[in-house]
């Protein structure tokens, strides 16, 4: 009994890490662009497809496929960022919702059009089990947790010390003032967007070996899971997002085991609504943006 | 959207269209009504089917327009209430065999009633969080439809929902042909449009516009903004439920797929494509949607890609929808005269 609880918590931490990497990109995009990115799951999907394509068509090893997946996502993010996301800066909130919904439809259905709508088998990754402290865990899951930690420490260092990171924080606090002191807001917005989308792509490539199947519509579910996380974490709040992602990951894992697998995907929004009734600005409100 | 919609605060009395071309507009409206009534004479079954779908979607779109166009609240929950209406109507018809008009009214009432407990927490939230919360209703609705198997039969959905039949005493008749259904939907859509028109023209409608323009100011002049928002949310849900009921009886099946973001997106395209905050705009939007669907019948993926580009075009090039273009066309005609 105790053993299964711990096992489910560990599984929850693995999926929490995945959600955290996706959600932190989305929350940073929100901080800088003031827009919820409804297409965020699509970048996760693009990363996965990039890696799948590299493995399936060119027989490349998994680590190379990770790079290809992330680069492919970032390249598409450059195009979308230039054509769409930069124009959202300063536009009313609804413009962001509609434009990113449009981008989501275009990306998802273009992939379905090109590769077909069927499920594809993802054959890369490290699936050998290892035993640690009496727990058996696939190598890939350990890799996910490690990468998750690296990403968060890296982001924390970046937004605290690097020039670009400081500019991102500044823009997320006050766009007008940044424009006045000569920061190129659109430039910052573009790079934040590419970073966020790239992280989503990375997370997709990391999860693919665990999920095994890859299909064009897979991003939608990720978007729907990420939305409650970033709202609960306080929009634009990196540390809050990390905590909220872990809470959701563990809660989902426990609900799937003890309540029923079919309720797993509703945990996020159900929790979100309860939290919002209690704290309308999220669990970790904007006190600590970035 | 406040910025975008502001152009349409003009009441018809002061809009350039009404000033210059009331006669023309009435004539055009009558011609369109006549055309709509005679459509089955010269349209085949397939185009008629497309128009039926557009007219069914017109009901939730009218509801969304009341919420988004007049009160200024962007909601993605229309698909949830659409699904609730479809399931409510289907369950009544399958289990109790009640006549269509009862199912139809019940679907609207149930959707509106469910909107009350959902609206109370949701409407406390600000713009972005409100959008998220309404999206949550769709996701949770779909999960309930999938998992409450004893009631909804899960993924299998409910099949063999009877075509609308009316029973009054001993007399009863069933609407089974496409043409018959077309007239039924046309009549309902016309009534719904009239109802929305009456709401919008009433003092309540002007209060709604006041809330959209400046909520704080509206509250300070004594408009009970909270109750207005809640009631409008319920009315918009009821309209979505009515649309869902028609959809269930037209297709004769419902499944958890009735709770899909696709429907919420479609309603947004209809409302914003035509022009939020105008009734004729929404009607135009639903026809536009038919055109878009028909033009891309060949491949569903292409259709969704086109929807995506359509949304982008709306946001960046036609923030007031395509209907104002028609307004410009009227002025052009007027000047020619």
């Amino acid at each position: 009994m105790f053993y299964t609880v711990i096992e489910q918590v560990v599984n929850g931490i693995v999926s929490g890490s995945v959600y955290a990497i996706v959600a932190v990109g989305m929350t940073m995009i929100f901080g800088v662009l003031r827009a919820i990115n409804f297409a965020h799951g699509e970048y996760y999907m693009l990363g996965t497809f990039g890696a799948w394509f590299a493995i399936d068509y060119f027989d490349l090893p998994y680590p190379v496929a990770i790079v290809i997946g992330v680069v492919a996502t970032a390249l598409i993010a450059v195009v979308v960022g230039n054509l769409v996301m930069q124009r959202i800066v300063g536009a009313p909130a609804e413009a962001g919702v509609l434009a990113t919904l449009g981008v989501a439809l275009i990306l998802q259905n273009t992939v379905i059009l090109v590769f077909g709508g069927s499920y594809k088998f993802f054959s890369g990754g490290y699936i050998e089990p290892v035993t640690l402290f009496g727990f058996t865990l696939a190598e890939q899951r350990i890799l996910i947790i490690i990468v998750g930690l690296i990403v968060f420490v890296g982001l924390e260092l970046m937004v605290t010390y690097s020039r670009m990171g400081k500019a991102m924080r500044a823009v997320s606090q006050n766009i007008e003032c940044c424009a006045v002191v000569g920061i190129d807001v659109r430039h910052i917005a573009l790079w934040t967007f590419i970073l966020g989308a790239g992280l989503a792509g990375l997370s997709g490539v990391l999860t693919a070996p665990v999920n095994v199947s890859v299909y064009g519509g897979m991003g939608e579910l990720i978007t729907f899971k990420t939305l409650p996380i970033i709202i609960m974490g306080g929009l634009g709040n990196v540390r809050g997002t990390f905590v909220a992602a872990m809470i959701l990951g563990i809660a989902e894992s426990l609900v799937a085991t003890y309540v029923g697998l079919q309720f797993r995907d509703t945990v996020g929004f159900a929790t979100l609504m309860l939290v919002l009734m209690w704290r309308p600005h999220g669990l970790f409100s904007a006190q600590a943006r970035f | 959207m406040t910025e975008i919609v502001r152009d349409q605060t003009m009441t018809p009395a002061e809009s350039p269209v009404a000033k210059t071309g009331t006669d023309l507009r009435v004539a055009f409206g009558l011609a369109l009504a006549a055309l709509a009534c005679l459509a089955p004479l010269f349209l085949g079954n397939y185009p008629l089917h497309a128009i039926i779908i557009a007219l069914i979607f017109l009901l939730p779109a009218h509801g969304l327009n009341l919420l988004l166009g007049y009160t200024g609240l962007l909601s993605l929950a229309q698909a949830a209430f659409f699904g609730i209406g479809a399931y409510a109507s289907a369950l009544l018809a399958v289990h109790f065999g009640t006549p269509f008009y009862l199912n139809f009214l019940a679907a609207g009432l149930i959707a509106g009633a469910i909107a009350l407990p959902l609206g109370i927490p949701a409407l406390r939230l600000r713009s972005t969080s409100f959008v998220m919360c309404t999206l949550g209703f769709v996701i949770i609705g779909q999960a309930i439809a999938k998992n409450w198997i004893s009631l909804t039969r899960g993924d299998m959905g409910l099949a063999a929902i009877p075509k609308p039949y009316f029973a009054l005493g001993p007399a009863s008749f069933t609407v089974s042909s496409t043409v018959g259904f077309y007239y039924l939907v046309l009549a309902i859509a016309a009534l719904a449009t009239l109802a929305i028109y009456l709401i919008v023209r009433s003092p309540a409608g002007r209060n709604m516009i006041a809330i959209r323009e400046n909520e704080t100011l509206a509250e300070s002049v004594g408009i009970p903004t909270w109750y207005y928002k809640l009631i409008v949310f319920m009315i918009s849900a009821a309209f979505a439920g009515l649309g869902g009921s028609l959809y269930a009886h037209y297709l004769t099946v419902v499944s958890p797929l009735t709770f899909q973001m696709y429907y919420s997106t479609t309603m947004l395209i209809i409302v914003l494509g035509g022009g939020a905050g105008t009734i004729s705009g929404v009607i135009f939007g639903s026809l536009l949607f038919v055109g878009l669907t028909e033009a891309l019948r060949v491949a569903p993926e292409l259709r969704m890609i086109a929807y995506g580009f359509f949304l982008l075009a709306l946001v960046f090039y036609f923030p007031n929808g395509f209907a104002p273009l028609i307004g410009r066309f009227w002025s052009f005609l007027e000047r020619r005269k």
Side-chain angles (χ1 to χ4, degrees):
Chain A
M1 172 65 200
F2 180 68
Y3 180 83
T4 42
V5 172
I6 297 289
E7 200 177 18
Q8 291 316 315
V9 170
V10 173
N11 279 336
I13 291 173
V14 173
S15 48
S17 306
V18 172
Y19 295 156
I21 303 175
V22 187
V24 76
M26 181 123 108
T27 211
M28 289 178 78
I29 292 171
F30 182 86
V32 172
L33 283 104
R34 304 293 151 81
I36 291 274
N37 181 16
F38 273 95
H40 208 66
E42 266 57 49
Y43 300 102
Y44 173 98
M45 178 270 292
L46 287 171
T48 319
F49 260 85
W52 168 79
F53 190 74
I55 292 172
D56 224 58
Y57 283 74
F58 300 107
D59 228 3
L60 294 168
Y62 180 64
V64 182
I66 297 183
V67 177
I68 290 182
V70 175
V71 170
T73 317
L75 286 178
I76 292 168
V78 172
V79 177
V80 176
N82 269 306
L83 295 180
V84 180
M85 302 308 278
Q86 280 197 334
R87 311 172 79 162
I88 297 177
V89 182
E94 285 80 353
V97 173
L98 296 176
T100 53
L101 271 175
V103 171
L105 285 174
I106 294 169
L107 291 179
Q108 183 181 332
N109 290 289
T110 307
V111 167
I112 294 176
L113 194 68
V114 174
F115 294 105
S118 63
Y119 284 68
K120 284 140 191 79
F121 178 68
F122 192 93
S123 56
Y126 307 102
I127 39 172
E128 294 301 315
V130 280
T131 309
L132 267 180
F133 312 114
F135 294 106
T136 309
L137 210 59
E139 287 170 340
Q140 186 70 29
R141 290 173 188 264
I142 298 170
L143 179 69
I144 289 173
I145 296 179
I146 294 172
V147 173
L149 288 174
I150 293 175
V151 163
F152 268 83
V153 172
L155 278 180
E156 204 57 57
L157 292 176
M158 192 198 98
V159 295
T160 324
Y161 297 110
S162 80
R163 216 181 140 69
M164 177 58 88
K166 285 177 186 167
M168 283 176 185
R169 272 191 300 161
V171 173
S172 85
Q173 274 156 17
N174 194 327
I175 292 189
E176 288 77 19
C177 285
C178 287
V180 168
V181 298
I183 294 176
D184 187 348
V185 173
R186 286 165 71 94
H187 178 76
I188 305 289
L190 179 64
W191 280 103
T192 313
F193 177 67
I194 294 169
L195 175 70
L199 284 174
L202 171 69
S203 161
V205 188
L206 285 174
T207 337
V210 179
N211 289 341
V212 182
S213 60
V214 176
Y215 61 103
M218 66 196 280
E220 207 169 86
L221 185 64
I222 292 295
T223 308
F224 290 156
K225 296 219 169 170
T226 316
L227 291 170
I229 294 175
I230 65 167
I231 306 252
M232 273 192 278
L235 285 162
N237 182 335
V238 168
R239 284 178 216 177
T241 303
F242 182 77
V243 177
M246 285 299 165
I247 293 176
L248 182 71
I250 295 169
E252 273 193 356
S253 175
L254 292 176
V255 165
T257 321
Y258 297 104
V259 183
L261 187 65
Q262 70 273 31
F263 293 107
R264 193 183 63 193
D265 295 338
T266 44
V267 173
F269 271 105
T271 325
L272 172 68
M273 279 176 210
L274 291 175
V275 167
L276 287 179
M277 271 192 264
W278 170 49
R279 294 199 58 162
H281 298 285
L283 279 180
F284 312 92
S285 57
Q287 334 135 345
R289 270 212 161 157
F290 279 87
Chain B
M1 198 109 329
T2 39
E3 238 181 322
I4 290 169
V5 185
R6 196 154 295 147
D7 282 358
Q8 283 146 29
T9 49
M10 297 178 291
T11 53
E14 53 185 340
S15 84
V17 177
K19 237 184 281 172
T20 50
T22 315
D23 295 346
L24 201 62
R25 216 161 65 132
V26 169
F28 183 74
L30 286 175
L32 200 67
L35 199 67
C37 290
L38 298 175
L41 292 181
F42 51 84
L43 284 182
N45 262 0
Y46 190 83
L48 219 49
H49 162 81
I51 296 177
I52 289 173
I53 298 287
L55 288 173
I56 291 176
F57 284 172
L58 185 58
L59 296 175
H62 269 322
L64 181 63
N65 187 31
L66 212 55
L67 198 59
L68 172 62
Y70 285 95
T71 322
L73 293 165
L74 177 63
S75 162
L76 295 177
Q78 285 309 80
F81 298 117
F82 189 74
I84 289 172
Y87 266 96
S89 196
L91 286 169
L92 282 172
V94 170
H95 288 299
F96 303 105
T98 43
F100 168 72
Y101 54 88
L102 279 183
N103 304 336
F104 180 67
L105 293 176
L109 285 176
I110 291 171
I114 291 178
L116 176 66
L118 295 181
I120 289 172
L123 288 165
R124 286 173 51 199
L125 304 171
R126 292 167 305 124
S127 60
T128 315
S129 306
F130 177 73
V131 176
M132 291 307 108
C133 203
T134 55
L135 177 65
F137 298 156
V138 182
I139 312 283
I140 290 176
Q142 191 180 46
I144 294 174
K146 263 187 189 163
N147 294 316
W148 194 351
I149 291 170
S150 59
L151 185 74
T152 64
R153 304 210 318 146
D155 277 321
M156 288 189 294
L158 297 160
I161 300 160
K163 288 275 182 189
Y165 83 91
F166 294 85
L168 268 177
S172 81
F173 76 100
T174 308
V175 181
S176 50
S177 67
T178 310
V179 174
F181 206 91
Y182 171 77
Y183 282 116
L184 174 68
V185 176
L186 187 65
I188 291 175
L191 283 176
T193 307
L194 181 67
I196 293 283
Y197 178 82
L198 292 177
I199 294 175
V200 168
R201 285 289 164 272
S202 72
R206 283 195 288 279
N207 287 351
M208 277 150 52
I209 294 175
I211 294 171
R212 177 187 80 197
E213 291 305 312
N214 189 334
E215 195 175 334
T216 322
L217 186 64
E219 197 151 15
S220 74
V221 298
I223 298 170
T225 54
W226 165 255
Y227 291 102
Y228 263 99
K229 288 198 289 184
L230 193 59
I231 290 167
V232 171
F233 189 68
M234 288 170 68
I235 294 176
S236 83
F239 270 91
L242 294 177
S245 166
L246 277 177
Y247 200 60
H249 283 281
Y250 180 58
L251 296 185
T252 69
V253 287
V254 291
S255 77
L257 287 180
T258 322
F259 292 90
Q260 243 187 100
M261 262 303 282
Y262 165 73
Y263 292 109
S264 287
T265 320
T266 306
M267 306 313 159
L268 277 177
I269 290 178
I270 292 176
V271 171
L272 296 165
T278 58
I279 292 175
S280 53
V282 175
I283 297 172
F284 172 74
S286 71
L287 295 176
L288 196 71
F289 160 77
V290 178
L292 194 65
T293 316
E294 282 310 281
L296 297 155
R297 238 166 74 189
V298 273
E301 294 87 15
L302 276 180
R303 194 168 87 194
M304 300 314 278
I305 294 172
Y307 272 21
F309 281 112
F310 197 70
L311 277 174
L312 290 179
L314 271 177
V315 174
F316 294 126
Y317 300 107
F318 302 96
N320 294 325
F322 295 102
L325 290 181
I326 302 181
R328 241 176 277 163
F329 178 66
W330 282 132
S331 329
F332 174 72
L333 284 186
E334 282 304 304
R335 260 181 273 129
R336 288 279 302 267
K337 217 157 61 174

